[in-house]
Amino acid sequence: MTLSHQGGIMFSFLADILTQIYKIWPSYAGSIIVFTLIFMIIMTPVTLRQTKSMLAMQRLAPETKKLRKKYGDDREKLNQEMMALYQANNVNPLGGCLPLLVQSPVFLGLFYVVRGLTRRVGDLGLAIGDSVTRGSEEITVFTARTYNPEWIDQSANLYQDLTNTTKMASFGLDLSQSPSAALGNDLVTGLPYLLLVLVVGISSWLQQKQIQGRSANTMSPQQAAIMKIIPFMLPVFSFAFPTALIFYFITSNVFRVGQQMFITKRFYGEKKEEKEIVVPTAKNIKEREKEDLRNTQSQKGNGNHGSRR
């Protein structure tokens, strides 16, 4: 099974969930919002686990800094001492990365499924000068074409509704239109779209501000600089994306802001007691491993002796 085929299966699965939501609430924007919230809630335990791991790594940051300074020229010794520190404090250095590997395919799938809703009939044909005929009328204008949503089951209500309209109308907006295209028509028409982009920017900034405020003492200057740039990237992308994706961005951002407020209160509160850091050496770890091995062998020997007797 190829990677693209596996991706198609996942996208179709996500699209089926979206169509069921639309069946209950036949609103394009509403179904996208609920669709996004469901997966944000499902991913919350993974996010909390990632936060715990990052918090543990931050707690050990002063000790790891000392080890790098002490054994900077001896890479092998540095790795031994670092692993000894992690083991003594029950910290998995990859614990903050593994949850990201779980979340990334899911959120990438959500992105592609929502974007696929806005695909119109003959996208490729229009690019090479083709035209589409509806009845006796030749349709050459892109926005006059009906939709051909990707990944959606053709028997679903969502598919049937999209293939019989030229505008994805919801909340007074055309979700297939990008803010840049709306502003190209006139300022009054484009203003609501521009406000949505502004909400994306504010929510992105708030989210990064929360994370940066907690991690200011452990961030390198390079990381701090990247954190300042990130909130401005998503609004720039949103300006050219279909508005359907902007509703996805806003929903996920607002949810994450609330999630970060809970995380800050739960894991970073002023009264939160921190565990004492155990600072072992690689030698201590080796001696403990040898002792565990001797105990294991001793237990096996006693068991074999008892069976012979």
Side-chain angles (χ1 to χ4, degrees):
M1 186 179 292
T2 63
L3 187 62
S4 60
H5 181 62
Q6 290 176 338
I9 292 174
M10 184 181 73
F11 295 159
S12 298
F13 169 73
L14 295 173
D16 287 343
I17 296 174
L18 179 59
T19 57
Q20 292 302 317
I21 296 170
Y22 182 82
K23 190 175 181 180
I24 298 171
W25 185 11
S27 165
Y28 299 126
S31 57
I32 290 170
I33 291 170
V34 175
F35 178 62
T36 307
L37 282 175
I38 287 173
F39 283 93
M40 293 301 296
I41 293 170
I42 291 173
M43 288 292 118
T44 295
V46 180
T47 303
L48 295 179
R49 184 173 180 178
Q50 179 187 2
T51 302
K52 289 179 181 179
S53 181
M54 290 175 62
L55 184 59
M57 292 295 290
Q58 289 175 10
R59 192 166 55 87
L60 297 180
E63 297 300 327
T64 57
K65 188 176 180 180
K66 291 177 185 177
L67 291 176
R68 287 193 181 93
K69 187 175 181 180
K70 186 176 181 180
Y71 302 107
D73 298 331
D74 189 345
R75 176 62 60 180
E76 184 178 354
K77 182 67 174 176
L78 175 62
N79 290 337
Q80 290 176 354
E81 296 295 338
M82 292 277 278
M83 288 307 299
L85 179 65
Y86 293 143
Q87 289 177 19
N89 291 276
N90 296 319
V91 173
N92 181 3
L94 299 178
C97 302
L98 293 177
L100 284 176
L101 297 177
V102 175
Q103 294 182 67
S104 298
V106 175
F107 290 122
L108 187 64
L110 297 180
F111 174 88
Y112 278 110
V113 169
V114 174
R115 191 183 71 169
L117 295 176
T118 63
R119 187 179 70 169
R120 292 183 188 263
V121 170
D123 286 6
L124 179 61
L126 184 68
I128 60 176
D130 194 8
S131 62
V132 174
T133 301
R134 187 184 301 121
S136 60
E137 182 183 0
E138 188 181 68
I139 307 298
T140 57
V141 180
F142 180 69
T143 53
R145 298 182 176 206
T146 58
Y147 298 98
N148 180 25
E150 199 171 10
W151 314 116
I152 304 295
D153 189 289
Q154 295 186 7
S155 63
N157 293 348
L158 178 58
Y159 185 91
Q160 296 298 325
D161 288 349
L162 285 172
T163 53
N164 286 286
T165 185
T166 59
K167 284 188 177 181
M168 193 184 293
S170 191
F171 295 171
L173 303 170
D174 182 359
L175 302 192
S176 65
Q177 195 171 34
S178 66
S180 59
L183 285 169
N185 295 330
D186 62 81
L187 182 61
V188 176
T189 302
L191 188 59
Y193 297 85
L194 190 61
L195 290 175
L196 288 177
V197 174
L198 185 62
V199 174
V200 171
I202 293 172
S203 57
S204 298
W205 177 80
L206 281 174
Q207 184 187 346
Q208 295 301 329
K209 195 73 174 176
Q210 289 171 314
I211 298 172
Q212 193 174 8
R214 295 197 310 252
S215 310
N217 297 329
T218 57
M219 277 188 183
S220 65
Q222 293 82 2
Q223 288 175 318
I226 292 172
M227 293 291 283
K228 290 179 181 178
I229 296 172
I230 287 176
F232 300 100
M233 293 175 63
L234 194 56
V236 171
F237 295 146
S238 299
F239 201 71
F241 281 150
T243 305
L245 279 173
I246 296 179
F247 276 97
Y248 161 66
F249 292 146
I250 290 175
T251 304
S252 58
N253 278 359
V254 171
F255 183 90
R256 285 192 180 104
V257 168
Q259 189 180 65
Q260 292 300 325
M261 290 174 64
F262 169 77
I263 287 172
T264 301
K265 186 176 180 179
R266 175 69 176 81
F267 298 111
Y268 295 84
E270 295 180 0
K271 297 181 180 179
K272 187 68 180 175
E273 295 182 4
E274 292 190 357
K275 296 180 181 178
E276 185 179 352
I277 299 175
V278 180
V279 186
T281 63
K283 184 178 178 181
N284 297 144
I285 294 296
K286 287 181 179 180
E287 289 177 352
R288 189 172 68 181
E289 288 176 349
K290 288 179 180 178
E291 185 178 351
D292 291 342
L293 181 60
R294 284 196 298 268
N295 291 336
T296 303
Q297 291 174 344
S298 177
Q299 290 174 0
K300 286 182 179 179
N302 290 336
N304 291 334
H305 179 69
S307 63
R308 287 196 301 270
R309 186 169 59 186

